C-alpha cells in the first residue's frame, strides 16, 4: 500500500517537471525588412533620405544592429551607409537595405524615381553684336540663331564666361568681323559650343575669325557637330590675316575640315597650344605653307579623314615645321624662296606626303634654304600621298641654283618621285640638285640620306650641281634608273659610305662636261658609266685619281681624254687584287665599242694594275685602247690591254698638233703589261 502511493507521487512529479521549459517557436526572429525613401521621386541633383525597419515572425518590431545599403543602378543614384541618397541623372533605381540576425538575413527595397532637371529657356542670340557683351553661365544655354557677327565701331568684344554652353541651330555661325571673342574657360569649367538638339543630323557652320587686328582668344573651348557644308569650310575658320590664340581647344565631328586657315597670311596666334581635332570629315587642319610654323603643339589628332595637315602655297619666311604626330600633305608644289633667304627647317620625325604633280622646290623664285634635321631614332620621310604608292607619283625635291650652301639633309628618306615636271628644270630623281653652270649653285650637305623607288634617278645633279663638303652615307636603292647621275667635274663630291642596290641601272651616270678640278673618284661598289666623252684638263691642271677597284664603263664611241686642250693628270693605280677597269658599257662587247684612253698634256699620269678592253673605235687620232701623244715614260705598267679593234697601245710620232714623239716601248716585259685579242700590240700614229 505504501509502495503504490510513493510511485504515484513520483509519477506526478515527473509530469510536472517535463512541462517546466519554453517553446522555441515562440522566440522572436528576423523575418522582414521594410525600406522607405522620402521623397520617392526627386529631380536629378537633389537628395533623398531612406530609412529601414525590421519585424519578427509575429509582425512585431525587431531590433537589428545595422543595415547594409545599396543602389541597384548606381548611375542613377548612390546611397551611403546611413541611407542618404545622392542622385545623378534621370532614371529609376531600387534602394536596398539588408540586415542579419542569428544567422538570418533579410532584405527590403524601395523604388526611387529620378527625373531630369527642367530645361531652362535658352538665351537667344539672333542679331549682330555691335557693342561689348558678356555671355554668362548663369544664362545657359545660349542659343545662336542664324549667322551673326561681331561688327561695328568701336570694335566690340564678346566675353564668354567659363562654363558657358552655346547651342547653334542648323546652319548657324558666329563670325568676328571686328573686335574679338574672349572665351575664358578653365579645365574644370570649359566652354562648349554644340549643335542644338533640335537640329540633330545637320551641322552648324562654325566659328569664323576674319579680322586682322583681332585679339581673340579661345581657352578650354570645345566645338562639336560644326563645319556645315554651307559654311566657310571648317569648325574653326581663320582668314583675312587673322591670328586668334587657341589654347586647349577641341574640335570634334566636323562635317568638313577641323580647322581651315586661309592662304592670306592668316595663322594661329603666338602662345597657341594643345589643339585637339578628331573625327572630321576632312583634314584635321588645312592652311597655307607660309604660316605652318604657327600650328599649336602638344595636341592630338585622330579619326579625321584624312588624319593629316594639308599645306598649300609657297614659303617666303624662315620657319620650322614641327612633328605633330600626323603627316603634312602637300597636294601641289611648294617653293621655298624669297629675300632675305627664307629657311625651311623640318624637325625630327616629320612626314611629308606629296600628291600627284607636287614637288618641294628650294630657291625656285629667289634665294632659299632647306634644313632637314632627322635623327636615327626619328628620321624624316618624304613620300607619296597614296594608299598604294608607285614610283613616279610626284616630282621630287628640287634644289635650285640659288639654294643656300647651308642647306643640309640628315636622316631622311625620299621615295616614289621621278615624275617629269611640265616646266622648269627637268630632273627626274627623288632628289634633284642644280648648279648655275658657272661652277656654283646648290651644294647641299647630305648625311644618312636614303633615296628609293623613284621611277628614274635616285639623285640627279645638273648644271654644276654637287654634293656639299662633308656629305656621307648616301643610300640609293630600288630606283627605275641610275643610282646617281651628275657631271664629270662633280663626281668627286659623291658621299662615301653609302649603299647602292636594286636600281634598274646600278651605276653612276656621268652626264657630260669635263673634269676641271682635282678630285678622287672612289670605288663605290658600282661602276661609273660615261655616256659622253670626258676630258680631264683645265687651266688648273686638275688631277683625277681613281681608287683601286674602280670601274669606268664607256658608251658606244665615247672616250676619256687627258690634257688635249689644257693640261690634266689621270692617276689610276689599282692593285693586283683590285685593278681599275676601263671597259665597254655592254654585256656583249665587241672590239672597237669605244674609242679608248687618250693622253696629251698628261704629265704625272699613271696607269698601274688597270684593265683596258674593247677600245679602238674610229674618230680621234689613234685607234688603240691606250693612245699616247706625248712622251710620259713608264706610266703604263702591270696592265691588261685586250680586244682593241686596232692596237692595244698607239704611240704618237709627233705629227699631230700638240703632240711629241713617244718612244717608250710598253710591250717590254719590264713594264709587266699583257696583251690579248688586239689587232696588234703597239703601233705608231
Amino acid at each position: 500500500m505504501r509502495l503504490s502511493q510513493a510511485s504515484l507521487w513520483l509519477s506526478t512529479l515527473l509530469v510536472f517537471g517535463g512541462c517546466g521549459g519554453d517553446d522555441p517557436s515562440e522566440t522572436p526572429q528576423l523575418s522582414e525588412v521594410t525600406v522607405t525613401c522620402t521623397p520617392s521621386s526627386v529631380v536629378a541633383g537633389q537628395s533623398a533620405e531612406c530609412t529601414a525597419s525590421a519585424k519578427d515572425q509575429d509582425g512585431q518590431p525587431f531590433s537589428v544592429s545595422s543595415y547594409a545599403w545599396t543602389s541597384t543602378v548606381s548611375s542613377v543614384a548612390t546611397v551611403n551607409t546611413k541611407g542618404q541618397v545622392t542622385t545623378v541623372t534621370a532614371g529609376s533605381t531600387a534602394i536596398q537595405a539588408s540586415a542579419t540576425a542569428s544567422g538570418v538575413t533579410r532584405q527590403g527595397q524601395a523604388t526611387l524615381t529620378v527625373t531630369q532637371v527642367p530645361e531652362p529657356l535658352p538665351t537667344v542670340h539672333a542679331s549682330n553684336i555691335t557693342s561689348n557683351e558678356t555671355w554668362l553661365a548663369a544664362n545657359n544655354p545660349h542659343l545662336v540663331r542664324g549667322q551673326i557677327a561681331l561688327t561695328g565701331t568701336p570694335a566690340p568684344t564678346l566675353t564668354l564666361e567659363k562654363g558657358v554652353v552655346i547651342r547653334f541651330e542648323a546652319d548657324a555661325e558666329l563670325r568676328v568681323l571686328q573686335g574679338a571673342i574672349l572665351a575664358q574657360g578653365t579645365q574644370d569649367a570649359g566652354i562648349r559650343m554644340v549643335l542644338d538638339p533640335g537640329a540633330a543630323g545637320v551641322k552648324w557652320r562654325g566659328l569664323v575669325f576674319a579680322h586682322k587686328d583681332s585679339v581673340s582668344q579661345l581657352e578650354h573651348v570645345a566645338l562639336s557637330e560644326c563645319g556645315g557644308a554651307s559654311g566657310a569650310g571648317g569648325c574653326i575658320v581663320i582668314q583675312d590675316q587673322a591670328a586668334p590664340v587657341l589654347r586647349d581647344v577641341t574640335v570634334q565631328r566636323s562635317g568638313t575640315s577641323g580647322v581651315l586657315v586661309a592662304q592670306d597670311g592668316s595663322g594661329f596666334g603666338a602662345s597657341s597650344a594643345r589643339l585637339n581635332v578628331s573625327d572630321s570629315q576632312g583634314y584635321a587642319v588645312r592652311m597655307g605653307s607660309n604660316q605652318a610654323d604657327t600650328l599649336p603643339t602638344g595636341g592630338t589628332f585622330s579619326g579625321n579623314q584624312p588624319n593629316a595637315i594639308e599645306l598649300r602655297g609657297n614659303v617666303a619666311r624662315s620657319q620650322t615645321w614641327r612633328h605633330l604626330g600626323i603627316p603634312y600633305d602637300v597636294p601641289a608644289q611648294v617653293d621655298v624662296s624669297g629675300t632675305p633667304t627664307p629657311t625651311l627647317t623640318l624637325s625630327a620625325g616629320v612626314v611629308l606626303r606629296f600628291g600627284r604633280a607636287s614637288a618641294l622646290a628650294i630657291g625656285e623664285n629667289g634665294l632659299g634654304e632647306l634644313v632637314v634635321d632627322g635623327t636615327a631614332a626619328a628620321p624624316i620621310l618624304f613620300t607619296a600621298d597614296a594608299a598604294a604608292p608607285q614610283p613616279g607619283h610626284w616630282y621630287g625635291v628640287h634644289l635650285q641654283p640659288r639654294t643656300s650652301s647651308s642647306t643640309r639633309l640628315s636622316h631622311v628618306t625620299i621615295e616614289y618621285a621621278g615624275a617629269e615636271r611640265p616646266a622648269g628644270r627637268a630632273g627626274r630623281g627623288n632628289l634633284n640638285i642644280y648648279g648655275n653652270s658657272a661652277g656654283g649653285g646648290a651644294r647641299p650637305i647630305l648625311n644618312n640620306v636614303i633615296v628609293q623607288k623613284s621611277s628614274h634617278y635616285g639623285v640627279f645633279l645638273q648644271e654644276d650641281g654637287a654634293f656639299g663638303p662633308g656629305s656621307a652615307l648616301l643610300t640609293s636603292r630600288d630606283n627605275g634608273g641610275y643610282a646617281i647621275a651628275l657631271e664629270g667635274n662633280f663626281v668627286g663630291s659623291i658621299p662615301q659610305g653609302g649603299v647602292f642596290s636594286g636600281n634598274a641601272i646600278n651605276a653612276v651616270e656621268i652626264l657630260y662636261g669635263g673634269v676641271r678640278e682635282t678630285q678622287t673618284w672612289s670605288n663605290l661598289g658600282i661602276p661609273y658609266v660615261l655616256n659622253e666623252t670626258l676630258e680631264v684638263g683645265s687651266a688648273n691642271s686638275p688631277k683625277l685619281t681613281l681608287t683601286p677597284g674602280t670601274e669606268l664603263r664607256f658608251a658606244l664611241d665615247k672616250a676619256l681624254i687627258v690634257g688635249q686642250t689644257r693640261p690634266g693628270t689621270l692617276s689610276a693605280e689599282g692593285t693586283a687584287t683590285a685593278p681599275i677597269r676601263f671597259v665597254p658599257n655592254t654585256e656583249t662587247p665587241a672590239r672597237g665599242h669605244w674609242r679608248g684612253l687618250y693622253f696629251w698634256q698628261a704629265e704625272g699620269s699613271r696607269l698601274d694594275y688597270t684593265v683596258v678592253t674593247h677600245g679602238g673605235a674610229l674618230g680621234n687620232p689613234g685607234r688603240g685602247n691606250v693612245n699616247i701623244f706625248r712622251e710620259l715614260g713608264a706610266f703604263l705598267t702591270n696592265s691588261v690591254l685586250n680586244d682593241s679593234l686596232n692596237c692595244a697601245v698607239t704611240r704618237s710620232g709627233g705629227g699631230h698638233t700638240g703632240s711629241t714623239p713617244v718612244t717608250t716601248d710598253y710591250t717590254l716585259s719590264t713594264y709587266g703589261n699583257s696583251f690579248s685579242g688586239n689587232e696588234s700590240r703597239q703601233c705608231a700614229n
Side-chain angles (χ1 to χ4, degrees):
M1 182 72 180
R2 288 181 181 175
L3 178 61
S4 298
Q5 290 177 343
S7 298
L8 179 61
W9 176 80
L10 179 60
S11 299
T12 302
L13 266 175
L14 289 172
V15 170
F16 281 106
C19 294
D22 294 334
D23 185 350
S25 63
E26 295 179 358
T27 302
Q29 295 182 357
L30 176 63
S31 176
E32 178 184 352
V33 172
T34 301
V35 176
T36 302
C37 293
T38 304
S40 61
S41 179
V42 295
V43 173
Q46 293 181 343
S47 60
E49 293 285 341
C50 295
T51 59
S53 61
K55 293 181 180 180
D56 65 11
Q57 68 272 30
D58 294 325
Q60 298 301 311
F62 186 89
S63 178
V64 297
S65 58
S66 64
Y67 292 95
W69 291 92
T70 58
S71 170
T72 58
V73 186
S74 58
S75 61
V76 171
T78 60
V79 60
N80 66 14
T81 57
K82 296 180 180 180
Q84 297 170 339
V85 177
T86 300
T87 60
V88 180
T89 188
S92 181
T93 184
I95 304 299
Q96 299 175 334
S98 64
T100 301
S102 301
V104 176
T105 299
R106 294 290 183 266
Q107 178 178 280
Q109 68 179 35
T111 299
L112 180 69
T113 301
V114 182
T115 58
Q116 189 61 49
V117 177
E119 177 73 26
L121 292 175
T123 304
V124 177
H125 306 276
S127 59
N128 288 342
I129 299 167
T130 57
S131 59
N132 293 345
E133 290 187 17
T134 299
W135 294 3
L136 303 175
N139 296 329
N140 284 343
H142 294 261
L143 178 67
V144 173
R145 181 169 291 158
Q147 296 87 48
I148 67 173
L150 276 73
T151 184
T153 303
T157 296
L158 172 60
T159 301
L160 304 181
E161 187 183 52
K162 65 180 182 179
V164 161
V165 176
I166 308 174
R167 296 177 179 176
F168 291 81
E169 290 188 344
D171 213 34
E173 176 184 271
L174 179 57
R175 181 179 291 257
V176 180
L177 296 177
Q178 298 288 332
I181 294 177
L182 300 180
Q184 302 169 331
T186 66
Q187 185 173 1
D188 296 327
I191 294 170
R192 294 191 298 129
M193 299 182 178
V194 301
L195 184 67
D196 184 64
V202 181
K203 306 288 186 181
W204 59 286
R205 287 190 177 187
L207 188 58
V208 180
F209 296 93
H211 180 39
K212 176 181 178 181
D213 298 320
S214 175
V215 292
S216 292
Q217 294 187 26
L218 305 184
E219 190 159 359
H220 290 287
V221 176
L223 301 88
S224 62
E225 308 298 342
C226 37
S230 61
C235 274
I236 297 176
V237 176
I238 305 172
Q239 60 188 44
D240 298 323
Q241 300 183 22
V245 174
L246 275 59
R247 287 192 291 267
D248 296 290
V249 170
T250 298
V251 175
Q252 297 174 308
R253 298 181 295 280
S254 171
T256 50
S257 296
V259 180
L260 174 64
V261 184
Q263 299 178 54
D264 58 7
S266 299
F268 297 91
S271 80
S272 292
R274 297 174 298 281
L275 171 65
N276 308 289
V277 184
S278 62
D279 302 318
S280 297
Q281 295 304 303
Y283 281 100
V285 180
R286 299 178 64 199
M287 68 183 306
S289 304
N290 202 40
Q291 300 295 325
D293 63 325
T294 68
L295 274 161
T297 60
T300 59
F301 305 92
S302 63
N304 304 290
Q305 301 297 325
N307 197 38
I309 298 164
E310 184 191 62
L311 299 180
R312 289 180 179 268
N314 296 327
V315 174
R317 62 184 188 84
S318 293
Q319 59 185 277
T320 297
W321 294 359
R322 293 177 288 268
H323 177 41
L324 301 178
I326 57 173
Y328 295 94
D329 282 2
V330 182
Q333 176 169 309
V334 172
D335 177 36
V336 181
S337 61
T339 304
T341 305
T343 299
L344 174 59
T345 301
L346 303 181
S347 296
V350 162
V351 175
L352 269 63
R353 302 191 307 198
F354 292 85
R356 293 192 179 277
S358 68
L360 177 61
I362 310 299
E364 183 113 312
N365 297 299
L367 303 173
E369 181 173 311
L370 176 65
V371 175
V372 180
D373 272 341
T375 66
I380 290 171
L381 176 64
F382 294 179
T383 190
D385 182 15
Q390 298 296 318
H393 180 91
W394 61 295
Y395 295 144
V397 178
H398 294 259
L399 305 181
Q400 305 292 348
R402 287 179 285 183
T403 298
S404 165
S405 59
S406 297
T407 290
R408 65 179 187 270
L409 287 77
S410 300
H411 291 284
V412 59
T413 295
I414 308 173
E415 61 186 15
Y416 293 114
E420 184 175 4
R421 298 177 78 192
R425 289 176 172 82
R428 297 190 65 183
N430 279 319
L431 176 61
N432 305 275
I433 303 170
Y434 306 99
N436 59 14
S437 300
R443 297 289 186 272
I445 299 172
L446 275 59
N447 282 285
N448 292 282
V449 172
I450 298 172
V451 288
Q452 63 185 14
K453 302 175 184 177
S454 164
S455 58
H456 287 78
Y457 300 105
V459 184
F460 179 84
L461 301 92
Q462 189 180 39
E463 300 171 356
D464 294 353
F467 299 99
S471 294
L473 303 176
L474 169 65
T475 294
S476 182
R477 64 193 182 201
D478 303 325
N479 298 292
Y482 285 94
I484 304 173
L486 74 174
E487 298 173 28
N489 195 47
F490 303 99
V491 174
S493 71
I494 295 175
Q496 302 298 300
V499 176
F500 306 94
S501 64
N503 301 291
I505 307 175
N506 204 37
V508 176
E509 180 184 22
I510 312 303
L511 297 172
Y512 48 76
V515 175
R516 303 183 300 274
E517 305 292 337
T518 294
Q519 60 190 273
T520 297
W521 293 8
S522 298
N523 177 14
L524 301 175
I526 57 174
Y528 298 93
V529 174
L530 282 73
N531 285 322
E532 299 291 340
T533 292
L534 182 74
E535 180 173 358
V536 180
S538 72
N540 299 321
S541 299
K543 179 179 182 180
L544 172 59
T545 300
L546 306 179
T547 62
T550 298
E551 179 172 306
L552 274 62
R553 295 181 181 177
F554 293 83
L556 191 69
D557 204 37
K558 304 308 176 186
L560 175 59
I561 302 172
V562 183
Q564 182 171 15
T565 57
R566 292 191 176 184
T569 301
L570 175 63
S571 176
E573 298 185 64
T575 66
T577 56
I580 295 170
R581 295 169 53 82
F582 302 89
V583 297
N585 184 33
T586 178
E587 296 295 325
T588 56
R591 292 194 303 160
H593 179 90
W594 62 295
R595 295 187 183 185
L597 306 179
Y598 290 80
F599 294 88
W600 293 77
Q601 303 172 69
E603 287 75 10
S605 293
R606 289 280 289 138
L607 296 179
D608 186 41
Y609 286 106
T610 65
V611 175
V612 189
T613 70
H614 297 91
L618 293 172
N620 295 70
R623 292 181 58 198
N625 280 330
V626 178
N627 305 275
I628 309 162
F629 290 89
R630 288 198 177 192
E631 180 61 66
L632 296 175
F635 90 108
L636 175 59
T637 55
N638 302 307
S639 293
V640 175
L641 302 121
N642 292 346
D643 299 310
S644 171
L645 183 63
N646 199 318
C647 305
V649 178
T650 297
R651 298 184 299 171
S652 170
H656 297 282
T657 302
S659 67
T660 64
V662 177
T663 59
T664 302
D665 184 357
Y666 297 102
T667 65
L668 297 177
S669 60
T670 306
Y671 300 115
N673 299 314
S674 65
F675 307 85
S676 175
N678 306 289
E679 186 71 20
S680 61
R681 289 188 171 190
Q682 184 171 272
C683 57
N685 184 279

